[in-house]
Amino acid sequence: LNFLMVSSDVVSGDTVLMRIAKGDGSALDTYSFTPTISVVGGGLQINSSSQSALASNVSSITVTSCTVSGSDKLLVACVTWTNPAFATTCDAVSFGGTGMTSTGAAASIDDGFVFTRSQIWTLINPATTTATVVATFSDTGNAGNVGAMSFIGAHQTVPVSTLATSTGTSVTPSVVVSGAVGDIVIDAMCANAGPTATAGAGQTEFFSAVSTAFHRGAGSTEDGAASVTMSWTLGTSQRW
């Protein structure tokens, strides 16, 4: 006996009673079973990703050919940058000319003059199109890169939870974020002086670029859970 039951009310481990009429229409036979439920399709999914080349000594960075399509869309842009002299900020990010919203930023200062920063921006239900993502900074002289990722099946009112940040100097940048099964966690990591960077177990890198003099910027995703640790291993101890 093979059958497919689709329900939003039954979960794995529930006891289900199934009553089947006999072929002659006589009394029903009753069967009790405990199903294993699998979710097929739907839910939050990654649709596409793209990244910029590393840019040096600039006041803006552009990701070309960023594609958004599907239903219940969300676009996320991870901006990382380092400035050897000024505490520059990322003042705006746009997709095809439409402004995105900052979810928050992390900033780390090395020896009082090297500023290493990362920031995540979002846009709910952007137009279905292929366009550029442009990050604009408050000053020139920045080395940085941007990773953009689009999702489908995202909540269209409150698609992101509270941003978690951390800073330090070590070979193991990490941050712990609360979530739930079915979420997707996305991170943006920026390290001074351009070390190699390897994403932690369970993470999938989706952008990374390096300038050996100033900067390493990278980002990754991981499936959600009640608590998720996003981590990287750097080739040398650096400010992040």
Side-chain angles (χ1 to χ4, degrees), residues 92-129:
V93 177
S94 63
F95 172 67
T98 300
M100 301 179 69
T101 300
S102 173
T103 64
S108 187
I109 302 174
D110 185 13
D111 297 330
F113 66 92
V114 176
F115 299 89
T116 302
R117 296 175 181 259
S118 60
Q119 191 167 7
I120 297 178
W121 297 69
T122 61
L123 179 61
I124 299 173
N125 197 29
T128 298
T129 186

Side-chain angles (χ1 to χ4, degrees), residues 38-156:
S38 297
V39 177
V40 180
L44 181 64
Q45 301 176 42
I46 297 171
N47 187 35
S48 67
S49 64
S50 54
Q51 64 175 304
S52 71
L54 182 102
S56 297
N57 197 30
V58 297
S59 59
S60 66
I61 300 174
T62 299
V63 182
T64 60
S65 301
C66 179
T67 300
V68 176
S69 62
S71 58
D72 295 330
K73 304 183 293 294
L74 177 70
L75 178 64
V76 177
C78 297
V79 184
T80 71
W81 72 102
T82 301
N83 193 299
F86 303 105
T88 55
T89 56
C90 182
D91 292 341
V93 177
S94 63
F95 172 67
T98 300
M100 301 179 69
T101 300
S102 173
T103 64
S108 187
I109 302 174
D110 185 13
D111 297 330
F113 66 92
V114 176
F115 299 89
T116 302
R117 296 175 181 259
S118 60
Q119 191 167 7
I120 297 178
W121 297 69
T122 61
L123 179 61
I124 299 173
N125 197 29
T128 298
T129 186
T130 297
T132 58
V133 172
V134 181
T136 303
F137 303 100
S138 61
D139 208 333
T140 59
N142 304 284
N145 60 323
V146 178
M149 178 170 283
S150 65
F151 298 84
I152 57 175
H155 195 287
Q156 293 294 283

